[in-house]
Each structure stands twice: as C-alpha cells, then as structure tokens.
Amino acid sequence: MSDKNREGSRAARDRLVQQREREKARERRRRTLIVASAVVGVLGLAAVVGLIAANAGKGGKDSEAGPAVAPSGATGKDSLALQVGADGAPSTLTIWEDFRCPVCAQFENAFRKTIHELQNSGQIKVEYHLATIIDGNLGGSGSLRAANAAACAQDVGEFADYHDVLFANQPAESDDAFGKNSKLIELAGKVEGLDTPGFRSCVESGTHDTWVKKSDTAFRDGGFQGTPTALLNGESIFPAKDGQQISEANLKKWVAEANKGKKPAKVTPTPSAS
C-alpha cells in the first residue's frame, strides 16, 4: 500500500471515530436535556436577579405589606421553609423555586420520582422555599398567586401534592395563567380533599401574600444565581456538583455519600399526585 493510500485509510478511520464520538455526545445530550436547559436557565436568570433588585421597592398594590402570616408547620429561619419528609432524615435537600419558572418545572418533572423515593425511604427531607422572580421579570402575578395557594395547601397538609400538580400543569412562561385564582382552585381539584371553602378563602384573600414576599426577599438577599437552586446539606448540586452534572443516579449517589454511616429516618410513605 502506498503512503498516499495509507494516509487515506487513516483519515477515513479518524473520521469514523469522530463520527462515533459525535453520536455518543448527541446521546449524552439527549439523556441530560434537563441539565442543558438548566445551564441556560441559570445563566439567563442571573440577569433576572438583577431586574428583581432594580424593581425592589416599587410602589403599587403588591408593595402594600401587612403582617407576614406563615403557613401552618413552616420551619427554618423566619418560618420560610416548607418541609416535606421526616424530621429525622440524615440529609436535607433545600430547593428554591418559582412556580412560573420553566427550568424549575423541568427540574421537578425530571427528578420528582427520585426525590419522592429518597423522602419515602427516610434518606432526605426537603425544605422548599418560594420565590417570585418571573413576576418581577415578565410582569403579572402568577408566581405570587401560585406561591400563596401552595402555602394555603400547606395549611391543610397538602403542600407536597399540590406543589407537584402546579409544576406538572405549569403554563408557558409568558402566560400568566397562575395569576388567576380560579385556575389555582381548579388545579386544587386534582388533589383529593384540597378544594374546600377554607382553601378557596385562603387563596382568594391572599392570606400568605406577605409571607411569600418575605420569602422572595430572602431569596434575593441570599446571593443565589436563579431558580431552581438546589442545595444538599448546604452544598450546591444544581446543575452540577464537583464537576459532575446532576442526574437521577448522581443525586442518589450524592445522598448515599452524605448519609454514609447514618441511619435513615422511619417514615410512612404516602403516594404523591402526578
């Protein structure tokens, strides 16, 4: 074989190897779409946080604050966390979310099953914190109204299921459908026993509006880049931890590492809404 032919064969093999690597890369990207979207979301939402700061303190009906009424069972500093999972769980997953945030919905829809599994096996408890950054960025009140409704669900012990229903039925980011209390009450019908006169009154009157605003202020003051923010025992894990992108397998691995030598809490698993 001539040098020219050998070079041609080598080039063909190199092209084949490169093509295979490209196909593998495409498959990895397909399997981790949520992570790819999250990276874009985090970068984009850095600008949103700036807009929040710029809009802070502007007048209007929403800036008229009464006393902050924390929902029943709220925990943590200033009672701003809504806990799901057993108190004795050895690890805590802290999640900051906005019900209008599309990346939050991607995160929840991708990791909901895994998070429930870890909760129901007593390995973690989750502390949810609510923010309203999309309202500040795009206008409207859907982030605030949905967060208030979720707090109303917390009052009757149905936060976890209603939280999942809201993210599973999230409208497009530019559609402020959650700004309508009627829509939030309609979705409450998907959670058994939630759509009651007491819940409706809480939603319609905005019982927890000021509490939600206080939570959003804590988010802005916390120096977070955007939503969702996910911390495992205080360490950021979204969209990556120690150079490893988040995935269902990695989340389980990170929790197992954090819980090494510790006993899981005793819990009675309960089904969650889909």
Side-chain angles (χ1 to χ4, degrees), residues 189-209:
K190 295 179 178 290
V191 179
E192 185 176 358
L194 178 57
D195 186 6
T196 62
F199 173 80
R200 290 188 174 213
S201 175
C202 182
V203 171
E204 295 284 4
S205 64
T207 297
H208 301 296
D209 280 3

Side-chain angles (χ1 to χ4, degrees), residues 58-138:
K58 287 189 176 180
K61 183 175 66 175
D62 285 347
S63 65
E64 298 173 2
V69 180
S72 177
T75 63
K77 183 179 179 181
D78 295 328
S79 298
L80 295 178
L82 302 181
Q83 179 181 311
V84 179
D87 290 337
S91 285
T92 300
L93 180 62
T94 303
I95 302 178
W96 290 84
E97 293 179 317
D98 180 331
F99 285 111
R100 284 182 73 186
C101 162
V103 182
C104 296
Q106 290 173 4
F107 174 86
E108 284 293 336
N109 295 333
F111 296 104
R112 180 180 297 118
K113 181 179 177 181
T114 300
I115 291 174
H116 286 329
E117 180 183 330
L118 293 169
Q119 286 170 352
N120 292 337
S121 59
Q123 298 179 66
I124 64 169
K125 62 178 179 288
V126 183
E127 293 182 348
Y128 290 98
H129 295 259
L130 307 180
T132 61
I133 65 174
I134 304 302
D135 285 357
N137 189 37
L138 298 182

Side-chain angles (χ1 to χ4, degrees), residues 10 12 14 39 51 58 77 108 117 124 163 178 198 206 219 222 231-232 235 255:
R10 186 179 300 110
D14 289 345
V39 172
L51 285 174
K58 287 189 176 180
K77 183 179 179 181
E108 284 293 336
E117 180 183 330
I124 64 169
H163 162 276
F178 282 174
F219 169 78
L231 311 169
L232 180 61
E235 182 179 2
V255 170

